[in-house]
Amino acid sequence: MGGPEPPHALSPIMEDETMTAEVSEIVLSKQDLREVAAFAATCAEVVLKIFEVDQPDDSRPRDAVSAAWEFARGGERGRSLRDTASAALKAAKSADTAAAREAAWAAMSAAGAAYLHPLAKATQVKHILGAGAYAARAAELVADDDRSVGAGHLEQAVHRATPIVVDVLKRFPAAPSGGGRVGELIRMLDADLRSLTFAE
């Protein structure tokens, strides 16, 4: 009746996670975070038009992607990222189609990518790959749930990933189970990126 539950990817963005002794910390530089944000923004902006066809007067997802780019290009990780991520999540709730909703979630994930926590937890992989997976799902839904379209989007995402993005990803455990089709797309993208090797 009320549609699917919104993704849980925003909770680490909106509140600090409690550090526990059992979870080891991963070293992440600001440049690492900028590269991850740029990768996420590139993935999300490809499907912005899916949302904008559905909601032409709503700029919230585009604003979230712009905020991610601003951080990636040297801006600070401040309130703008949190606010635009939250606004994109609200925009997803106002979308009329499932594809538009997924596209808005991709934008929300792009703004949230800068909040990748340095904790060796599989759930953190969603911060790196969420935008790519939501974007792929949006593209599938526009194409009448054609899974080959999603696979094509993941392939493009793999080509967009820089060596730094892949290196950051490999510092974390593999993507977690669950999450429906988007979770499946995250795991596919995770496996594809981890299999990459770059020449020195």
Side-chain angles (χ1 to χ4, degrees), residues 82-137:
R82 290 173 185 266
D83 289 350
T84 59
S86 180
L89 182 62
K90 289 176 182 154
K93 292 175 182 172
S94 70
D96 291 329
T97 66
R101 187 171 56 243
E102 299 286 342
W105 281 341
M108 179 272 295
S109 296
Y115 290 94
L116 174 64
H117 284 73
L119 302 173
K121 296 172 77 173
T123 51
Q124 289 301 313
V125 170
K126 294 176 188 175
H127 276 300
I128 305 171
L129 307 180
Y134 285 121
R137 183 61 183 145

Side-chain angles (χ1 to χ4, degrees), residues 57-76:
D57 299 323
D58 192 339
S59 67
R60 290 176 292 181
R62 187 167 292 277
D63 294 343
V65 172
S66 295
W69 274 122
E70 191 176 316
F71 170 72
R73 292 173 175 146
E76 287 310 307

Side-chain angles (χ1 to χ4, degrees), residues 13-181:
I13 298 167
M14 304 310 285
E15 57 193 53
D16 292 328
E17 288 186 356
T18 306
M19 301 269 185
T20 58
E22 306 89 61
V23 180
S24 59
E25 283 203 48
I26 291 168
V27 176
L28 291 173
S29 70
K30 193 166 263 191
Q31 189 53 39
D32 289 338
L33 293 174
R34 292 191 199 287
E35 290 270 346
V36 167
F39 171 68
T42 304
C43 290
E45 70 186 358
V46 174
V47 295
L48 278 174
K49 62 184 177 293
I50 294 173
F51 178 83
E52 290 168 349
V53 164
D54 185 79
Q55 299 291 322
D57 299 323
D58 192 339
S59 67
R60 290 176 292 181
R62 187 167 292 277
D63 294 343
V65 172
S66 295
W69 274 122
E70 191 176 316
F71 170 72
R73 292 173 175 146
E76 287 310 307
R77 190 173 69 164
R79 186 177 181 116
S80 171
L81 277 168
R82 290 173 185 266
D83 289 350
T84 59
S86 180
L89 182 62
K90 289 176 182 154
K93 292 175 182 172
S94 70
D96 291 329
T97 66
R101 187 171 56 243
E102 299 286 342
W105 281 341
M108 179 272 295
S109 296
Y115 290 94
L116 174 64
H117 284 73
L119 302 173
K121 296 172 77 173
T123 51
Q124 289 301 313
V125 170
K126 294 176 188 175
H127 276 300
I128 305 171
L129 307 180
Y134 285 121
R137 183 61 183 145
E140 283 182 349
L141 289 169
V142 163
D144 295 324
D145 208 6
D146 184 341
R147 300 295 170 100
S148 68
V149 171
H153 264 260
L154 293 187
E155 197 175 314
Q156 291 170 0
V158 169
H159 290 300
R160 291 186 197 106
T162 65
I164 291 176
V165 169
V166 174
D167 179 60
V168 170
L169 178 66
K170 287 179 176 179
R171 295 177 211 169
F172 289 86
S177 60
R181 176 59 178 164

